[in-house]
Amino acid sequence: MGEQAVTGAGGAPAPERTPDPTGEDAAAAGGAAAAGGTTTPGGTTAPGGTTTPGGAAAPGPTSAGMTADGTPAAPADVSGAGMSADATPPAPAGAPAPPGPQERTSDITAGPGGVMTDEAGVVTGDLTLRTEYADGQATLRVQYKDADEWYAVTGGRVPLADPAALDAVHTIAVALLNRPEG
């Protein structure tokens, strides 16, 4: 391992000393990261910035959309990768779902007994399963793959107080009904 810059609280330079190879000094230097900066061999830390060997400030974006102190960072463009490090994240778990009906769909293969529906009886083979949420209810529907008609799965309606649970309901329904090996 090479030479390391040792920092004290808040990213300030620590008194002159040699870092130990066990990593305890590195753990103590966590203050640099907490201040939003990064230290590299031979460099010093600027709050919120990155330094290179020899201490020169690195050009360009210095964050991936996050900081240790909670202050929003400037957007970081990841050109050529088709993405931005500061894209809008999905809503956190438990956050209110968007208003109105929601649905999830997956292609499945029904097992030997098929899937019982209210309108058509048992359907078998390659199907599309749709889990819908509307008016506080989750409803399962199936259709033959690429067909127009949807059929309600018998017993596939349940009250669902939290629309955020729709993903879990759909995942369980797929796990129960998708039986490609029988």
Side-chain angles (χ1 to χ4, degrees), residues 104-125:
R104 308 290 184 270
T105 60
S106 296
D107 290 338
I108 64 170
T109 301
V115 176
M116 178 61 84
T117 67
D118 294 344
E119 299 87 357
V122 176
V123 293
T124 60

Side-chain angles (χ1 to χ4, degrees), residues 117-142:
T117 67
D118 294 344
E119 299 87 357
V122 176
V123 293
T124 60
D126 292 331
L127 307 171
T128 300
L129 172 69
R130 181 171 70 194
T131 307
E132 304 169 344
Y133 175 82
D135 303 322
Q137 297 251 337
T139 304
L140 301 178
R141 298 185 191 281
V142 293

Side-chain angles (χ1 to χ4, degrees), residues 7-138:
T7 57
E16 289 299 320
R17 62 186 182 135
T18 304
D20 72 311
T22 64
E24 289 178 4
D25 284 330
T38 304
T39 304
T40 59
T44 58
T45 302
T50 303
T51 56
T52 59
T62 59
S63 82
M66 56 191 139
T67 61
D69 64 1
T71 305
D77 180 29
V78 187
S79 298
M83 61 184 131
S84 169
D86 293 312
T88 304
Q102 299 177 47
E103 62 182 49
R104 308 290 184 270
T105 60
S106 296
D107 290 338
I108 64 170
T109 301
V115 176
M116 178 61 84
T117 67
D118 294 344
E119 299 87 357
V122 176
V123 293
T124 60
D126 292 331
L127 307 171
T128 300
L129 172 69
R130 181 171 70 194
T131 307
E132 304 169 344
Y133 175 82
D135 303 322
Q137 297 251 337

